[in-house]
Amino acid sequence: MDSTTLDIIILGSGTSTGIPVVGCDCAVCRSTDPRNQRTRCSALLSHAGHNILIDTSTDLRWQALREDIRHVDAVLYTHSHADHLHGIDDLRGFNLRSKEPIPLYGSTRTLERVRDNFSYIFDDIENPGYVPRLSLFPVEATFALFDLLITPIPLLHGRMQAFGYRCGPFAYLTDCNEIPEASLQLLQGLDLLVLDGLRFKPHTTHFNIAQAVQMAERIGAKQTLLTHLSHEVDHPRDNPQLPATIEFAYDGQRFSLPLPTEAIRSRRDRQP
Ligand SMILES: [Zn+2]
Ligand SMILES: [Zn+2]
Ligand SMILES: [Zn+2]
């Protein structure tokens, strides 16, 4: 665990159905190439021994087993759609190991939906051992999490607002079809960008691939991964068609980025 690097695992690169899609016989859903088998969209950030999960996907348990994730120290929620949230009950397994509540971060609106949709977690005081122990922390501007500075990036996902997150040279922007100008200002100088690029056909709440490529080129990260992919995307067939700095994400993909000092909260900023 190097305190100057940020490690990233793409836990899931798939759209809300997961790929293969139940009952679908298309070439991608029948493909044996592991890059065409996609669990629901999520990522893990690790820094100095802390694991930060982005979203609790419907496939969280399987993703944690597959990547041997032993602890989760915080969750950043992008928004409250089921594919990003409904694995929340599986946080309980991490509570049982750590004996500590897990802090959840997100917009006020997203965390209200978490509380309303999963009221049994927050209201069931009679059976505390059978529900996850979670605490809610609404955020709207840059905040410190462990030693990392995290910036929420407001995005438009149809008529809904979703958050992306930036941490040093890395940004994760899933579920969006528009990035406001003020948010683009927060995305300069990235080494690695993960961006929604659902499918080739247009969609009302997600960038399609042509739009995502155009946006990736405008943001200008050194490397961009397109995620939240549908079964229209055949990785071995379609990946070579993308521009050189852009590629399709796949489950289990790993990166390690050096963190500049401004991405890490300095010792003198810390509370005693
Ligand atoms: Zn299919
Ligand atoms: Zn969504
Ligand atoms: Zn989604």
Side-chain angles (χ1 to χ4, degrees):
M1 64 181 82
D2 185 338
S3 63
T4 60
T5 57
L6 180 69
D7 294 311
I8 297 143
I9 307 176
I10 300 299
L11 295 178
S13 59
T15 190
S16 56
T17 55
I19 314 299
V21 177
V22 170
C24 185
D25 293 319
C26 80
V28 172
C29 288
R30 293 170 64 99
S31 166
T32 55
D33 189 316
R35 294 168 301 173
N36 279 339
Q37 294 166 357
R38 306 179 176 118
T39 59
R40 266 58 77 87
C41 214
S42 181
L44 184 77
L45 309 183
S46 302
H47 171 70
H50 297 291
N51 282 342
I52 302 168
L53 195 56
I54 305 183
D55 292 329
T56 51
S57 92
T58 335
D59 293 309
L60 173 58
R61 175 177 169 277
W62 168 237
Q63 291 165 340
L65 290 169
R66 191 190 73 209
E67 303 298 340
D68 195 23
I69 300 168
R70 303 287 176 117
H71 60 104
V72 167
D73 304 296
V75 181
L76 306 177
Y77 277 111
T78 59
H79 65 308
S80 60
H81 281 163
D83 47 329
H84 300 261
L85 171 59
H86 284 204
I88 191 169
D89 199 75
D90 287 332
L91 291 174
R92 180 170 159 259
F94 299 106
N95 289 137
L96 292 174
R97 286 175 57 83
S98 72
K99 317 271 188 255
E100 297 287 339
I102 297 172
L104 313 182
Y105 297 83
S107 69
T108 302
R109 178 77 184 128
T110 295
L111 295 185
E112 280 171 2
R113 294 297 293 266
V114 171
R115 212 198 168 291
D116 290 349
N117 292 1
F118 293 90
S119 57
Y120 74 93
I121 291 177
F122 300 94
D123 295 342
D124 189 356
I125 48 173
E126 286 177 16
N127 296 299
Y130 296 94
V131 297
R133 290 172 58 211
L134 308 172
S135 27
L136 302 174
F137 294 95
V139 288
E140 54 183 30
T142 301
F143 62 101
L145 183 53
F146 313 116
D147 281 345
L148 289 173
L149 294 175
I150 312 267
T151 303
I153 310 287
L155 307 169
L156 288 173
H157 181 28
R159 288 196 289 180
M160 175 186 213
Q161 188 198 64
F163 270 175
Y165 291 96
R166 177 174 187 161
C167 178
F170 173 72
Y172 185 88
L173 314 178
T174 188
D175 290 58
C176 53
N177 64 332
E178 197 179 324
I179 304 180
E181 201 55 47
S183 295
L184 285 170
Q185 299 300 318
L186 303 171
L187 296 169
Q188 293 170 4
L190 293 171
D191 288 343
L192 180 63
L193 168 67
V194 180
L195 181 64
D196 187 352
L198 178 74
R199 65 185 190 188
F200 295 100
K201 283 190 287 233
H203 192 276
T204 52
T205 65
H206 293 268
F207 285 130
N208 70 1
I209 289 159
Q211 292 166 326
V213 165
Q214 203 174 36
M215 183 53 76
E217 288 178 335
R218 182 160 174 207
I219 293 171
K222 286 183 190 157
Q223 188 178 8
T224 299
L225 302 180
L226 304 186
T227 194
H228 212 290
L229 305 173
S230 84
H231 61 164
E232 280 187 19
V233 177
D234 185 332
H235 198 290
R237 180 193 68 193
D238 298 327
N239 202 50
Q241 311 304 321
L242 292 174
T245 60
I246 305 176
E247 60 184 298
F248 290 113
Y250 57 86
D251 286 27
Q253 207 170 5
R254 285 169 182 254
F255 298 87
S256 197
L257 300 178
L259 277 176
T261 46
E262 60 267 24
I264 304 169
R265 185 166 54 152
S266 69
R267 283 184 194 284
R268 69 189 150 72
D269 295 339
R270 285 181 212 165
Q271 300 296 318

